[in-house]
Amino acid sequence: VQLQASGGGLVQAGDSLRLSCVASGRTFSTYDMAWFRQAPGQEREFVAASNYRGRSTSYANSVKGRFTISRDFGKNTVSLQMNSLKPEDTAVYYCAAKFFAKDEYDFWGQGTQVTVSS
């Protein structure tokens, strides 16, 4: 699976941004999809995930209620709608995929920068 993320940018606190990630291949519906992020000097952290059927989602506490993950199976795309952005959301955002039966995410996109100014 190859992943191509896009949609990052520079926004002000309180603004919204939508990230998208297109997955190659014909097995999109067998992969759990997720978004992670990494801020400068910090470890990569989990943001949100959607299971392979798109029926179950999970979020980090820090983004719950502000971010929404969704999948478009017709377009092999997973999106992250980010509302009420805060300066602490500034990071490089990565989309990731794993076969639904696996424990670890083992396919990663190239990352897209999100910068939120105060």
Side-chain angles (χ1 to χ4, degrees), residues 33-100:
M33 302 294 297
W35 288 94
F36 289 77
R37 67 186 182 187
Q38 187 168 21
Q42 297 186 22
E43 294 187 353
R44 186 168 57 196
E45 65 174 0
F46 167 79
V47 176
S50 173
N51 80 330
Y52 68 105
R53 293 183 177 179
R55 297 177 183 176
S56 177
T57 59
S58 59
Y59 297 91
N61 287 334
S62 59
V63 306
K64 201 171 293 184
R66 299 188 298 121
F67 291 11
T68 302
I69 188 171
S70 61
R71 300 178 67 149
D72 184 333
F73 289 92
K75 297 181 179 179
N76 279 15
T77 300
V78 59
S79 298
L80 185 69
Q81 178 65 41
M82 305 185 293
N83 299 329
S84 302
L85 282 162
K86 304 175 181 180
E88 50 264 43
D89 294 319
T90 295
V92 177
Y93 283 71
Y94 299 90
C95 64
K98 67 175 183 71
F99 185 65
F100 74 91

